[in-house]
Every structure is written in structure tokens, then in C-alpha cells.
Amino acid sequence: MRVIAIDGPAGSGKSTVARAVAKRLELRYLDTGAMYRAVVFAVLRNGEDPADHEFAARTARDIELDIGLDKVMVNGVDATIEIRGPEVTRAVSVVAANADVRRELVSRQREWTERNGGGVLEGRDIGTVVFPNAELKVYLTADPEERARRRAKEVTDLDYEAVAADIARRDAFDSGRKADPLTEAVDAVIIDTTGMSIDQVVDKIERLLAAATPSEGQA
Ligand code: DC
């Protein structure tokens, strides 16, 4: 089973790169951040507080999730737009720090991968926790200013300063939490994508894979 792990902080280029790698390798792609966002969405729709540990954990266990390439369905409701909105984004770090939510979502991520015979998974803990034996682990970074610029382009209703402040807050929270903090796996290849185009990053990953995989007749 081929598993490629792509981790890194917000705005490091993970989603675009992971999608492109999946397409080139003809593997399925899973955005695990969308799963944490979906739990927040479901908690808020129930009028509950995302910081309520038990409620969030129960929601993660009961939630019906369909994370598609371009569409995210949560309990039968199209949540594609809302999971990227400011309300969910504000609350997602606290839910991602909930160890019971993590246990449930990690188990679903492993099941999804088994079911699909492998995949390209992007997140914060794929190489460290979900698939420590992945064929290739990539940790993407970029200067905080560049990451904020990229996100500000995606999120049209927020200005650069607001996005930069939000990214800094989430980075600190995601890296500082006890449960599976954002950190590079010891054997991850770190790629600083500052000033690199998507194609350059994807080409580099393809070269790394080729170098790691013996070609036919060589094995
Ligand atoms: O990649 P993103 O911005 O959609 O992720 C949303 C949040 O979920 C982010 O604050 C970190 C968290 N996350 C996580 O803790 N573990 C993952 N595997 C993926 C995302």
C-alpha cells in the first residue's frame, strides 16, 4: 500500500501540493484538516461549545463524514464553504487539541487509507502519528509572511493582517498542544516552499519518490 504523508503549518502549500502529487501518482487524496473542521461545524450547528470536550468527542464518534475532492458533506449537509469560514477556523485548534477527537479521526483516516489501497494524506501528524511508516514523509514550510499572503489570497473577506495574526495564533496552538503536536517527523524531508512554484515542489517530491523506490530489475 502506497502512503504519502504531507504535513506542515497553515499556508505552507500542503493542499495544493498534496492534490497534485495524488493526481500524478493516481492515488486518492485526503484532507485531514477538513475532518477536524467538520467536527467543529457539527458542534456549532448543534449550538454547543467546541471547547466542551465530551460533546466534541461524541460528535467526532457519531459524525457522518464524506470528504470529497471538492465537496465536504457532514451529516448529509454540504459544509464545503462553511468549514473554511472564520467561525469554524477560529474554533478548530481547540477541537484539534482534544485527544478523544484525535483518536477517532486518526482511526477513520487509517480506515479510509486501507479502503482506498493507500493515498496522499495531508495534515499535521500524518508522518508522526497516523502513518509513521509512510513511503515518503514531506514536511512543507514557508516564511510566515508568504504563508499569510497565500492564505489571504484564498480567503477573500479577510485582509493580510487578520490572516497573518490568525496563522500565528494557530501555529502556536497546533505546535504547543499536548496531543500529537505539529512537528516534523525525524525522517521527514523538509521542503521550504518560499519562492517555489507548486510545480517545482511537486517535481521535487516526484524525484524524492523515484530515489526512494528501486526501479524494476534493481530491487
Ligand atoms: O489544514 P487546516 O487549516 O484545514 O487544519 C485545520 C486545523 O486542524 C488546524 O488548526 C490543525 C488541525 N489539524 C490537526 O491537528 N491534525 C491534522 N492531521 C490536520 C489538521
Side-chain angles (χ1 to χ4, degrees):
M1 186 168 84
R2 289 198 94 174
V3 179
I4 316 292
I6 305 204
D7 291 302
S12 57
K14 289 191 308 291
S15 297
T16 321
V17 168
R19 280 167 185 266
V21 170
K23 202 167 172 192
R24 282 207 205 170
L25 300 179
E26 295 184 359
L27 287 171
R28 293 284 304 277
Y29 154 77
L30 182 62
D31 173 3
T32 64
M35 298 173 76
Y36 290 91
R37 289 174 179 272
V39 173
V40 177
F41 171 84
V43 170
L44 291 174
R45 248 181 106 85
N46 271 296
E48 298 290 336
D49 180 2
D52 180 334
H53 188 104
E54 279 317 312
F55 192 83
R58 196 158 3 109
T59 303
R61 283 193 293 272
D62 295 344
I63 201 169
E64 195 188 303
L65 274 181
D66 184 1
I67 311 284
L69 204 52
D70 297 306
K71 196 171 178 184
V72 173
M73 298 292 290
V74 181
N75 296 328
V77 174
D78 186 342
T80 315
I81 308 278
E82 264 191 75
I83 60 160
R84 307 280 164 211
E87 225 192 333
V88 168
T89 301
R90 231 186 340 264
V92 72
S93 286
V94 67
V95 167
N98 182 323
D100 291 317
V101 170
R102 300 202 72 82
R103 187 169 322 116
E104 172 64 27
L105 296 189
V106 166
S107 131
R108 289 188 187 217
Q109 289 153 21
R110 290 183 180 139
E111 271 170 28
W112 178 94
T113 309
E114 291 283 343
R115 210 167 47 239
N116 288 289
V120 179
L121 285 81
E122 66 137 300
R124 303 293 191 286
D125 61 340
I126 309 302
T128 50
V129 176
V130 187
F131 284 106
N133 296 322
E135 174 180 339
L136 179 69
K137 304 178 192 181
V138 177
Y139 187 91
L140 296 182
T141 63
D143 285 352
E145 296 77 27
E146 175 139 346
R147 295 198 279 117
R149 256 196 312 275
R150 290 176 186 166
R151 268 290 150 102
K153 251 196 223 160
E154 285 168 21
V155 195
T156 43
D157 54 344
L158 289 176
D159 63 13
Y160 172 81
E161 296 303 329
V163 173
D166 178 63
I167 283 190
R169 179 186 63 80
R170 282 206 293 144
D171 280 357
F173 210 97
D174 293 337
S175 309
R177 70 178 180 226
K178 264 207 214 98
D180 312 338
L182 168 68
T183 179
E184 56 270 42
V186 282
D187 51 352
V189 179
I190 299 170
I191 304 178
D192 185 345
T193 66
T194 312
M196 280 175 88
S197 70
I198 296 299
D199 279 344
Q200 284 172 325
V201 181
V202 176
D203 285 346
K204 187 170 167 106
I205 293 175
E206 247 187 345
R207 283 199 301 276
L208 288 166
L209 277 167
T213 318
S215 56
E216 271 177 61
Q218 260 189 326

